[in-house]
Coordinates of all heavy atoms in Angstrom, one line a residue:
P156 N -28.3 28.8 5.6 CA -27.5 29.3 6.8 C -27.4 30.8 6.8 O -27.5 31.5 7.8 CB -26.2 28.6 6.7 CG -26.4 27.4 5.9 CD -27.5 27.8 4.9
V157 N -27.1 31.4 5.6 CA -26.9 32.9 5.5 C -28.3 33.5 5.7 O -28.3 34.6 6.4 CB -26.4 33.2 4.1 CG1 -26.4 34.8 3.9 CG2 -25.0 32.7 3.8
I158 N -29.4 33.0 5.2 CA -30.7 33.6 5.4 C -31.1 33.6 6.9 O -31.6 34.6 7.4 CB -31.7 32.8 4.6 CG1 -31.5 33.1 3.1 CG2 -33.1 33.3 5.0 CD1 -32.4 32.3 2.2
V159 N -30.8 32.4 7.6 CA -31.1 32.3 9.0 C -30.4 33.4 9.8 O -31.0 34.1 10.6 CB -30.8 30.9 9.5 CG1 -30.9 30.9 11.1 CG2 -31.7 29.9 8.9
R160 N -29.1 33.6 9.5 CA -28.3 34.6 10.3 C -28.8 36.0 10.0 O -28.9 36.8 10.9 CB -26.8 34.4 9.9 CG -25.9 35.4 10.5 CD -25.9 35.2 12.0 NE -25.1 36.2 12.7 CZ -23.8 36.1 12.9 NH1 -23.2 35.0 12.6 NH2 -23.1 37.0 13.5
T161 N -29.1 36.3 8.7 CA -29.6 37.6 8.3 C -30.9 37.9 9.1 O -31.1 39.0 9.6 CB -29.8 37.7 6.8 OG1 -28.6 37.4 6.2 CG2 -30.3 39.1 6.4
L162 N -31.8 37.0 9.1 CA -33.1 37.2 9.7 C -33.0 37.4 11.2 O -33.7 38.2 11.8 CB -34.1 36.0 9.5 CG -34.5 35.8 8.0 CD1 -35.3 34.6 7.9 CD2 -35.3 37.0 7.5
M163 N -32.1 36.7 11.8 CA -31.8 36.8 13.3 C -31.2 38.2 13.6 O -31.6 38.8 14.6 CB -30.9 35.7 13.8 CG -31.6 34.4 13.8 SD -30.5 33.0 14.4 CE -30.4 33.4 16.1
D164 N -30.3 38.7 12.7 CA -29.7 40.0 12.9 C -30.7 41.1 12.8 O -30.7 42.1 13.5 CB -28.6 40.2 11.9 CG -27.3 39.4 12.2 OD1 -27.2 38.9 13.3 OD2 -26.5 39.2 11.3
L165 N -31.7 40.9 11.9 CA -32.8 41.9 11.7 C -33.9 41.8 12.7 O -34.7 42.7 12.8 CB -33.4 41.8 10.3 CG -32.5 42.1 9.1 CD1 -33.2 41.8 7.8 CD2 -32.1 43.6 9.2
G166 N -33.9 40.7 13.5 CA -34.9 40.6 14.6 C -36.2 40.1 14.0 O -37.2 40.3 14.7
I167 N -36.2 39.4 12.9 CA -37.5 39.0 12.3 C -37.5 37.5 12.1 O -38.4 37.0 11.4 CB -37.8 39.7 11.0 CG1 -36.8 39.4 9.9 CG2 -38.0 41.2 11.2 CD1 -37.1 39.9 8.5
F168 N -36.6 36.8 12.7 CA -36.5 35.3 12.5 C -37.8 34.6 12.9 O -38.2 33.7 12.1 CB -35.3 34.7 13.3 CG -35.2 33.3 13.1 CD1 -34.7 32.8 11.9 CD2 -35.4 32.4 14.1 CE1 -34.6 31.4 11.7 CE2 -35.3 31.0 14.0 CZ -34.8 30.5 12.8
K169 N -38.4 35.0 14.0 CA -39.6 34.2 14.4 C -40.9 34.9 14.0 O -42.0 34.5 14.4 CB -39.6 34.1 16.0 CG -38.5 33.2 16.5 CD -38.5 33.0 18.0 CE -37.4 32.1 18.4 NZ -37.4 31.9 19.9
T170 N -40.9 35.9 13.2 CA -42.1 36.5 12.7 C -42.6 35.6 11.5 O -41.9 34.7 11.0 CB -41.9 37.9 12.2 OG1 -40.9 37.9 11.1 CG2 -41.3 38.8 13.3
K171 N -43.9 35.9 11.1 CA -44.5 35.1 10.0 C -43.7 35.4 8.7 O -43.5 34.4 7.9 CB -45.9 35.6 9.8 CG -46.8 35.1 10.9 CD -48.3 35.4 10.6 CE -49.2 34.8 11.7 NZ -50.6 35.1 11.4
T172 N -43.2 36.6 8.5 CA -42.4 36.9 7.3 C -41.1 36.1 7.4 O -40.6 35.5 6.4 CB -42.1 38.4 7.2 OG1 -43.3 39.1 7.1 CG2 -41.2 38.7 6.0
G173 N -40.4 36.0 8.5 CA -39.2 35.3 8.7 C -39.4 33.8 8.4 O -38.6 33.1 7.7
M174 N -40.5 33.2 9.0 CA -40.8 31.8 8.8 C -41.1 31.5 7.4 O -40.8 30.4 6.9 CB -41.9 31.4 9.7 CG -41.6 31.4 11.2 SD -40.4 30.1 11.7 CE -38.9 31.1 11.8
L175 N -41.8 32.4 6.7 CA -42.1 32.2 5.3 C -40.8 32.1 4.5 O -40.6 31.2 3.6 CB -42.9 33.4 4.8 CG -43.2 33.4 3.3 CD1 -44.0 32.2 2.8 CD2 -43.8 34.7 2.8
I176 N -39.8 33.0 4.7 CA -38.6 33.0 4.0 C -37.8 31.7 4.2 O -37.3 31.1 3.3 CB -37.7 34.2 4.3 CG1 -38.4 35.5 3.9 CG2 -36.3 34.2 3.7 CD1 -37.7 36.8 4.3
I177 N -37.8 31.3 5.5 CA -37.1 30.1 5.9 C -37.7 28.9 5.2 O -37.0 28.0 4.6 CB -37.1 29.9 7.4 CG1 -36.3 31.0 8.1 CG2 -36.6 28.5 7.8 CD1 -34.8 31.0 7.7
A178 N -39.0 28.8 5.2 CA -39.7 27.6 4.6 C -39.5 27.6 3.1 O -39.2 26.5 2.5 CB -41.2 27.7 4.9
S179 N -39.5 28.8 2.5 CA -39.3 28.9 1.0 C -37.9 28.5 0.7 O -37.6 27.8 -0.3 CB -39.6 30.3 0.6 OG -40.9 30.7 0.9
A180 N -36.9 28.9 1.5 CA -35.5 28.6 1.2 C -35.3 27.1 1.4 O -34.5 26.5 0.7 CB -34.6 29.3 2.2
M181 N -36.0 26.4 2.3 CA -35.9 25.0 2.5 C -36.4 24.2 1.2 O -35.7 23.3 0.8 CB -36.7 24.5 3.7 CG -36.1 24.9 5.0 SD -37.2 24.5 6.4 CE -36.2 25.1 7.8
I182 N -37.5 24.7 0.7 CA -38.0 24.1 -0.5 C -37.0 24.3 -1.7 O -36.7 23.3 -2.4 CB -39.4 24.7 -0.9 CG1 -40.4 24.4 0.2 CG2 -39.8 24.2 -2.3 CD1 -41.7 25.1 0.0
D183 N -36.4 25.5 -1.8 CA -35.4 25.8 -2.8 C -34.3 24.8 -2.7 O -33.9 24.2 -3.7 CB -34.9 27.2 -2.6 CG -35.7 28.2 -3.4 OD1 -36.9 27.9 -3.6 OD2 -35.2 29.3 -3.8
D184 N -33.7 24.7 -1.5 CA -32.5 23.8 -1.4 C -32.9 22.3 -1.6 O -32.1 21.6 -2.3 CB -32.0 24.0 0.0 CG -31.1 25.2 0.2 OD1 -31.0 26.0 -0.8 OD2 -30.6 25.5 1.3
F185 N -34.0 21.9 -1.2 CA -34.4 20.5 -1.4 C -34.5 20.2 -2.9 O -33.9 19.2 -3.3 CB -35.7 20.2 -0.7 CG -36.1 18.8 -0.6 CD1 -35.5 17.9 0.3 CD2 -37.0 18.2 -1.5 CE1 -35.8 16.6 0.4 CE2 -37.3 16.9 -1.5 CZ -36.7 16.0 -0.5
I186 N -35.2 21.0 -3.6 CA -35.4 20.8 -5.0 C -34.1 20.9 -5.8 O -33.7 20.1 -6.6 CB -36.5 21.7 -5.6 CG1 -37.9 21.4 -5.0 CG2 -36.6 21.6 -7.1 CD1 -39.0 22.3 -5.4
G187 N -33.4 22.0 -5.4 CA -32.1 22.3 -6.1 C -31.1 21.2 -6.0 O -30.5 20.7 -7.0
W188 N -30.9 20.6 -4.8 CA -29.9 19.5 -4.6 C -30.4 18.2 -5.2 O -29.6 17.4 -5.6 CB -29.6 19.4 -3.1 CG -28.7 20.5 -2.6 CD1 -29.1 21.5 -1.8 CD2 -27.3 20.7 -3.0 NE1 -28.0 22.3 -1.6 CE2 -26.9 21.8 -2.3 CE3 -26.4 19.9 -3.7 CZ2 -25.6 22.3 -2.4 CZ3 -25.1 20.4 -3.9 CH2 -24.7 21.6 -3.2

Side-chain angles (χ1 to χ4, degrees):
V157 175
I158 292 174
V159 169
R160 179 62 185 269
T161 301
L162 295 176
M163 292 179 72
D164 288 343
L165 291 176
I167 61 169
F168 180 70
K169 291 185 179 179
T170 62
K171 288 185 177 180
T172 301
M174 289 294 103
L175 171 67
I176 295 174
I177 293 297
S179 303
M181 289 176 182
I182 297 171
D183 271 27
D184 280 1
F185 189 81
I186 295 175
W188 285 107

